[in-house]
Amino acid sequence: MNRLPRRTVPALVAGLVLLAACVLVAVSCVQTIAGARPALPFDALGRALSALTLGDPRVLAAGGLLVLLGAVLLLCAVLPGTPQVFSLATHEGGAAAGVIRHGLARDLAERARRTDGITAARVDLGTRTVRVTARTPLRDQSGLAERVRAGIDARLAEVELARDPLVRVRIVPDRGTR
């Protein structure tokens, strides 16, 4: 039940570029039919393009750029993104359930903030790792990372994810105590 994000950014970029090109051509066609000077001069464009050959460096550069752009958009469409829902462990009933990424991150950050000596915490959830950045005003930070990790591990044990992530904790001083 790992729901992956939609690839809206590559689709939006490709759609906007195609829309802009279509609008430019349509406006130029209407201007040509109306007898006005078109925004895209078809005759001058045709003369300039007919003078180019396939071996021209500008044609090769434009082709390479379009191939690179197409490959990037294709990879964005094919490669999986970061899961938005994490699967929970199945029990006797076999029902599939999951927890939403942002809700779990907020819950784990709240658990880290409950640790004595921690004033703020930020949690980044990866596919296999949980990265916790906790702020403290304390100068002596010995054992603090282990206490935060123990709290996060206890909460993850309560949630019972299908796959146990690796927890990494980084303690940073508060901005005022540096």
Side-chain angles (χ1 to χ4, degrees):
M1 171 191 258
N2 291 336
R3 188 184 70 173
L4 301 176
R6 293 186 209 139
R7 299 303 181 152
T8 55
V9 174
L12 182 67
V13 168
L16 287 176
V17 167
L18 288 173
L19 178 66
C22 290
V23 166
L24 181 63
V25 169
V27 166
S28 296
C29 288
V30 169
Q31 288 173 335
T32 302
I33 292 170
R37 190 169 142 238
L40 185 63
F42 293 119
D43 55 346
L45 187 61
R47 282 192 304 275
L49 291 178
S50 67
L52 295 176
T53 63
L54 290 178
D56 192 306
R58 292 178 291 184
V59 173
L60 293 175
L65 185 66
L66 288 174
V67 166
L68 181 66
L69 179 65
V72 167
L73 290 174
L74 186 64
L75 282 175
C76 286
V78 172
L79 293 177
T82 307
Q84 298 300 306
V85 175
F86 291 105
S87 299
L88 296 177
T90 57
H91 294 288
E92 301 87 42
V99 62
I100 296 174
R101 163 189 215 82
H102 298 295
L104 181 60
R106 280 192 304 268
D107 185 37
L108 293 177
E110 179 60 33
R111 179 60 66 108
R113 278 191 292 272
R114 288 186 201 160
T115 305
D116 288 336
I118 299 298
T119 56
R122 187 176 130 206
V123 175
D124 293 320
L125 293 174
T127 306
R128 295 185 176 99
T129 60
V130 174
R131 290 177 302 281
V132 180
T133 304
R135 294 193 171 277
T136 182
L138 304 176
R139 296 209 185 268
D140 181 22
Q141 301 171 2
S142 59
L144 193 55
E146 288 78 20
R147 289 197 314 258
V148 171
R149 183 176 292 109
I152 296 294
D153 285 338
R155 183 61 185 144
L156 287 172
E158 291 171 5
V159 171
E160 294 184 35
L161 293 177
R163 183 183 339 184
D164 291 330
L166 174 67
V167 178
R168 294 186 178 157
V169 178
R170 192 179 97 188
I171 305 294
V172 295
D174 271 341
R175 292 186 177 108
T177 60
R178 288 185 185 174

